[in-house]
């Protein structure tokens, strides 16, 4: 029962507590079972709704994934743009960007895992829409790395490839991170900040804000 049931319903998510509950349930179900292994009945049951109620908000399971993917990528784009423009110094800007990007993917690891690793399930038009957002995210990070290279602060033979590597490392956090483990999201973010700057030949800049926030909060192994 995964096909369209309410074709007259406009695209995009509904609003209100029911829609938010549905989005959380869908993200958890897709993360646990994969998109193709999840039925609309699974999502509706997890949200405490009837299968018919799901179609009040979305015309199909694919449309629900599309809505989740758009929201997730728009949030990340806003995050990286704010970080990139927050400091004139490329080293400081990249450090903050990496910390926030990584902390987001750890804190929101369930939804981030879905919106990054289930893209192939989107139809062509929806996938292209999300791909455009991903391109803007990539360009924002590339621009910071290029600024650092131009200023003689970063060392890399290929700024664009280095930016891609940084993004890949951050996104992958959503795949392996689980709460209650050895590290908090802030600790992971601070460590990745150091890794990112070291990759670009920067050292001796000291700990970032996430390190300070994480101080004294290390969890036992």
């Amino acid at each position: 029962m995964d096909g369209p049931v309410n074709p007259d319903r406009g695209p995009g998510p509904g609003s209100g507590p029911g829609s938010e509950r549905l989005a959380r349930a869908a993200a958890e179900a897709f993360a646990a079972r994969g998109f193709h292994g999840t039925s609309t009945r699974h999502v509706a049951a997890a949200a405490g709704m009837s299968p018919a109620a799901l179609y009040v908000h979305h015309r199909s399971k694919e449309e629900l994934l599309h809505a989740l993917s758009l929201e997730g990528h728009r949030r990340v784009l806003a995050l990286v743009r704010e970080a990139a423009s927050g400091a004139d110094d490329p080293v400081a800007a990249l450090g903050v960007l990496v910390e926030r990007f990584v902390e987001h993917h750890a804190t929101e690891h369930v939804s981030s895992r879905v919106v990054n690793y289930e893209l192939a399930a989107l139809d062509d038009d929806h996938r292209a829409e999300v791909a455009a957002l991903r391109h803007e995210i990539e360009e924002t990070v590339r621009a910071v790395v290029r600024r650092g290279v131009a200023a003689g602060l970063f060392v890399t033979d290929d700024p664009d490839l280095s930016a891609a590597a940084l993004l890949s490392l951050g996104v992958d956090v959503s795949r392996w991170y689980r709460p209650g483990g050895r590290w908090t999201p802030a600790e992971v973010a601070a460590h990745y900040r150091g890794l990112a700057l070291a990759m670009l030949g920067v050292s001796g800049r000291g700990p970032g804000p996430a390190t300070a926030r994480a101080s004294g909060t290390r969890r036992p192994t």
Side-chain angles (χ1 to χ4, degrees):
M1 192 174 173
D2 293 332
V5 169
N6 184 5
D8 296 325
R9 176 74 186 176
S15 60
S19 180
E20 294 173 6
R21 187 168 73 250
L22 179 62
R24 287 194 300 270
E28 291 169 0
F30 292 154
R33 299 170 176 269
F35 177 81
H36 294 295
T38 301
S39 70
T40 54
R41 290 187 181 277
H42 290 138
V43 176
M49 299 177 173
S50 69
L54 183 150
Y55 294 102
V56 172
H57 302 281
H58 300 279
R59 290 181 296 196
S60 68
K61 186 177 71 167
E62 187 274 342
E63 188 181 83
L64 176 52
L65 176 63
H66 174 234
L68 291 173
S69 298
L70 282 182
E71 173 64 18
H73 283 87
R74 284 169 177 163
R75 288 177 62 192
V76 170
L77 178 57
L79 179 155
V80 298
R81 280 178 169 170
E82 181 182 9
S85 63
D88 292 332
D89 175 14
V91 176
L94 187 71
V96 171
L97 190 158
V98 169
E99 280 195 276
R100 292 181 182 174
F101 187 80
V102 169
E103 190 162 9
H104 169 83
H105 282 81
T107 303
E108 305 293 335
H109 61 96
V110 173
S111 59
S112 293
R113 193 158 67 251
V114 171
V115 304
N116 282 291
Y117 293 108
E118 296 290 347
L119 291 174
L122 295 174
D123 68 31
D124 290 344
D125 289 342
H126 287 165
R127 190 163 56 250
E129 191 174 2
V130 175
L133 290 170
R134 291 173 72 88
H135 178 73
E136 291 186 61
I137 293 168
E138 292 162 2
E139 279 300 309
T140 302
V141 179
R142 287 172 186 155
V144 177
V145 176
R146 290 170 188 157
R147 279 170 49 204
V149 172
L153 299 171
F154 295 155
V155 179
T156 173
D157 293 335
D158 192 328
D160 290 358
L161 184 56
S162 294
L166 296 177
L167 285 168
S168 180
L169 284 171
V171 167
D172 194 57
V173 169
S174 67
R175 182 187 57 80
W176 62 261
Y177 185 82
R178 297 295 182 275
R182 182 175 176 181
W183 304 290
T184 66
E187 288 173 314
V188 175
H191 189 74
Y192 272 55
R193 172 187 180 274
L195 291 177
L197 295 179
M199 283 173 59
L200 293 168
V202 180
S203 62
R205 294 295 294 234
T211 305
R213 291 197 302 273
S215 178
T217 62
R218 177 169 290 282
R219 302 181 182 187
T221 303

